[in-house]
């Protein structure tokens, strides 16, 4: 049969290995490990300390997203967050971005408890903006998928507060 000829076999091997190379290359590009699905185009910092440093240095607010893999509310929020162009654009250009799957030692990041999802803003002056809250009085810093417009407003507020208060 045709397949026993050395040429056909080597062509087959080349096809297989180049597909493999492509698959490996793709794997390297995405998912970007630090994004954890919140936006692969965003430059994420790795730690809260690094986030504070970058916020101060760049004069941009730090946005901290607390979440967990097995939390369905986090997954639902993450999906709309990652798909929203306005949020992604602001996150890429105007914020230092951090998403965390563990709590920090800074108690200011959990003013009303350690629930997830929880989104806090920290000013470049390194003040945690506990005054930038979501819609729910029992969990001040949580957002649901339908609250995306509200989150966008809060991101704009975090940017505006820097300009007026510093």
């Amino acid at each position: 049969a045709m397949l026993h000829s050395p040429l056909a076999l080597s062509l087959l091997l080349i096809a297989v290995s180049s597909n493999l190379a492509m698959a490996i290359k793709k794997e390297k590009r995405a998912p970007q490990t630090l994004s954890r699905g919140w936006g692969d185009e965003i430059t994420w910092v790795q730690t809260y300390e690094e986030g504070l440093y970058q916020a101060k240095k760049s004069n941009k607010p730090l946005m901290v997203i607390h979440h967990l893999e097995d939390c369905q509310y986090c997954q639902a929020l993450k999906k709309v967050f990652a798909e929203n162009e306005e949020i992604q654009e602001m996150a890429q250009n105007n914020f230092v971005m951090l998403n965390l799957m563990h709590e920090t030692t800074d108690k200011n990041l959990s003013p009303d408890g350690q629930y997830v999802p929880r989104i806090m803003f920290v000013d470049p002056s390194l003040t945690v903006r506990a005054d930038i809250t979501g819609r729910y009085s029992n969990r001040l810093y949580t957002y649901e998928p339908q609250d995306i417009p509200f989150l966008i407003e809060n991101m704009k507020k975090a940017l505006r507060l820097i300009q007026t208060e510093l």
Side-chain angles (χ1 to χ4, degrees):
M2 175 67 189
L3 211 55
H4 292 305
S5 83
L7 178 65
L9 193 60
S10 59
L11 283 178
L12 183 69
L13 282 175
I14 290 167
V16 168
S17 61
S18 73
N19 278 347
L20 197 62
M22 296 266 288
I24 291 167
K25 211 191 224 140
K26 225 193 234 118
E27 198 49 52
K28 275 213 171 76
R29 171 66 197 94
Q32 187 216 106
T33 45
L34 289 178
S35 88
R36 301 188 181 97
W38 291 88
D40 285 335
E41 299 306 314
I42 297 169
T43 305
W44 297 90
V45 294
Q46 200 156 358
T47 63
Y48 183 51
E49 292 66 33
E50 188 193 342
L52 294 175
Y53 173 78
Q54 293 293 349
K56 200 178 174 75
K57 197 175 92 165
S58 64
N59 200 38
K60 293 176 179 179
L62 168 64
M63 182 171 176
V64 184
I65 306 171
H66 285 93
H67 64 108
L68 290 169
E69 265 314 312
D70 55 3
C71 151
Q72 62 181 14
Y73 303 103
C74 300
Q75 295 293 355
L77 182 64
K78 179 194 293 190
K79 190 176 184 320
V80 293
F81 186 98
E83 287 169 3
N84 187 287
E85 280 177 34
E86 191 174 1
I87 285 186
Q88 291 292 310
E89 206 234 337
M90 276 197 287
Q92 283 167 44
N93 300 317
N94 309 112
F95 286 84
V96 175
M97 297 295 296
L98 172 67
N99 71 76
L100 286 177
M101 297 176 69
H102 55 84
E103 292 293 334
T104 70
T105 52
D106 186 348
K107 296 288 169 263
N108 296 312
L109 281 187
S110 50
D112 65 343
Q114 298 188 335
Y115 52 85
V116 290
R118 187 170 86 254
I119 299 180
M120 306 283 312
F121 295 95
V122 185
D123 202 82
S125 68
L126 306 190
T127 311
V128 175
R129 304 292 327 210
D131 54 337
I132 303 180
T133 57
R135 293 177 49 198
Y136 308 101
S137 54
N138 59 335
R139 292 185 167 199
L140 290 174
Y141 308 100
T142 202
Y143 298 84
E144 295 190 354
Q146 67 271 20
D147 303 330
I148 283 292
F150 209 84
L151 179 57
I152 291 171
E153 279 316 302
N154 277 349
M155 289 173 81
K156 289 177 178 167
K157 192 181 195 176
L159 292 169
R160 215 165 41 238
L161 287 172
I162 295 175
Q163 285 139 16
T164 55
E165 288 184 17
L166 288 189

